[in-house]
Amino acid sequence: MQVQLIPVIEMFYLLDSVPVPPVGPYWEHVERWREYHARNLRANGFSPQLRPYLPGSAFHRIADLSDADLSRLILLHCAEGLKGSGDWRQVSPLPGGYVLRVGGLDVLFPQCCSDLGDLQSWKRIAAGKAAYLYSGHPSPDINQQNQSASFDFNGQGEVFVPPPALHSVSVPLVELLRATRDAERELRVFAARLELLNAEQTLRVPDIEALLIHGRR
């Protein structure tokens, strides 16, 4: 069983000049939302080559961002800190998180309020040291037994978005641990790119890796 944790960023910067579609959700009105996000990204200065992880969504794989698009993302996301006053307390980690992909099927997407720092929670689950996953809210019910972790998406007060492809899934801890290590390697490459752009363009974002990935200040 192949288990992956795919790092994604939610790129959703509202502009009055690009009205939000009056219909939703995006997975039921894919074309309307695909067109909206494409227009919105271009209006925000991103390249037209950008493609979302899932058609109609605002999630993008971190590995798919060009240097130009990543530079633009830094400027937009860090706008409060880059002002003259420089209030970096207003700059949170990049929104998004990790898509849980099991056997070629996207099982769970990052939920509301999740970010790239949530990998630590995935690592605790994979190590068998926790039974609660923070990847935004809602969060699945998790049971660990026989060296596997079972994720149950039923019975939540809130609705998962998009709706999970399965009601529940069980994954071997050894495979989940491997997935967290792969995701961590991808994050290290991403962090190195952030540091390089920060230096080359003299952006002066303080401790950019911690600020945008881990959430430490």
Side-chain angles (χ1 to χ4, degrees), residues 155-206:
Q156 301 293 328
E158 295 181 81
V159 178
F160 288 93
V161 295
L166 302 171
H167 293 297
S168 63
V169 66
S170 182
V171 298
L173 291 181
V174 65
E175 293 299 327
L176 187 58
L177 182 60
R178 183 177 293 112
T180 64
R181 288 171 176 167
D182 288 344
E184 197 162 35
R185 280 193 290 271
E186 195 167 338
L187 273 190
R188 286 198 294 269
V189 172
F190 184 67
R193 294 179 64 201
L194 290 174
E195 296 283 4
L196 183 60
L197 287 170
N198 195 31
E200 287 182 341
Q201 299 182 19
T202 323
L203 299 177
R204 296 187 176 89
V205 177

Side-chain angles (χ1 to χ4, degrees), residues 8 12 20 24 32 50 55 63 72 90 94 111 165-166 176-177 183 195 200 212:
V8 294
F12 192 32
V20 176
R32 291 287 296 275
L50 269 178
R72 182 60 184 153
Q90 300 300 315
L94 288 166
Q111 299 299 299
L166 302 171
L176 187 58
L177 182 60
E195 296 283 4
E200 287 182 341
L212 298 187

Side-chain angles (χ1 to χ4, degrees), residues 1-5 100-105 171-172 175-176 178-179 182:
M1 173 188 292
Q2 185 184 32
V3 179
Q4 295 173 275
L5 283 175
L100 174 62
R101 187 170 176 83
V102 180
L105 187 66
V171 298
E175 293 299 327
L176 187 58
R178 183 177 293 112
D182 288 344

Side-chain angles (χ1 to χ4, degrees), residues 119-134:
L119 185 61
Q120 297 306 314
S121 185
W122 283 103
K123 289 169 68 175
R124 288 191 291 271
I125 296 294
K129 297 179 179 179
Y132 177 77
L133 169 69
Y134 184 82

Side-chain angles (χ1 to χ4, degrees), residues 21-168:
V23 294
Y26 75 80
W27 56 89
E28 292 180 3
H29 302 271
V30 173
E31 192 58 26
R32 291 287 296 275
W33 282 90
R34 185 197 65 77
E35 292 176 355
Y36 164 74
H37 285 303
R39 291 197 307 271
N40 181 270
L41 288 172
R42 287 196 297 271
N44 272 296
F46 293 101
S47 68
Q49 289 77 30
L50 269 178
R51 295 292 180 271
Y53 179 83
L54 191 70
S57 83
F59 289 124
H60 293 261
R61 290 196 68 160
I62 61 174
D64 291 344
L65 295 175
S66 68
D67 284 350
D69 286 325
L70 185 52
S71 176
R72 182 60 184 153
L73 178 65
I74 295 170
L75 292 174
L76 279 174
H77 191 77
C78 295
E80 286 298 323
L82 292 170
K83 288 180 179 178
S85 58
D87 188 1
W88 292 102
R89 293 171 298 179
Q90 300 300 315
V91 181
S92 59
L94 288 166
Y98 302 86
V99 178
L100 174 62
R101 187 170 176 83
V102 180
L105 187 66
D106 294 326
V107 175
L108 177 65
F109 282 82
Q111 299 299 299
C112 182
C113 304
S114 62
D115 58 55
L116 290 178
D118 296 343
L119 185 61
Q120 297 306 314
S121 185
W122 283 103
K123 289 169 68 175
R124 288 191 291 271
I125 296 294
K129 297 179 179 179
Y132 177 77
L133 169 69
Y134 184 82
S135 60
H137 57 89
S139 184
D141 290 326
I142 300 173
N143 291 298
Q144 295 202 14
Q145 57 182 348
N146 300 323
Q147 295 301 304
S148 291
S150 296
F151 298 80
D152 188 338
F153 309 111
N154 299 297
Q156 301 293 328
E158 295 181 81
V159 178
F160 288 93
V161 295
L166 302 171
H167 293 297
S168 63

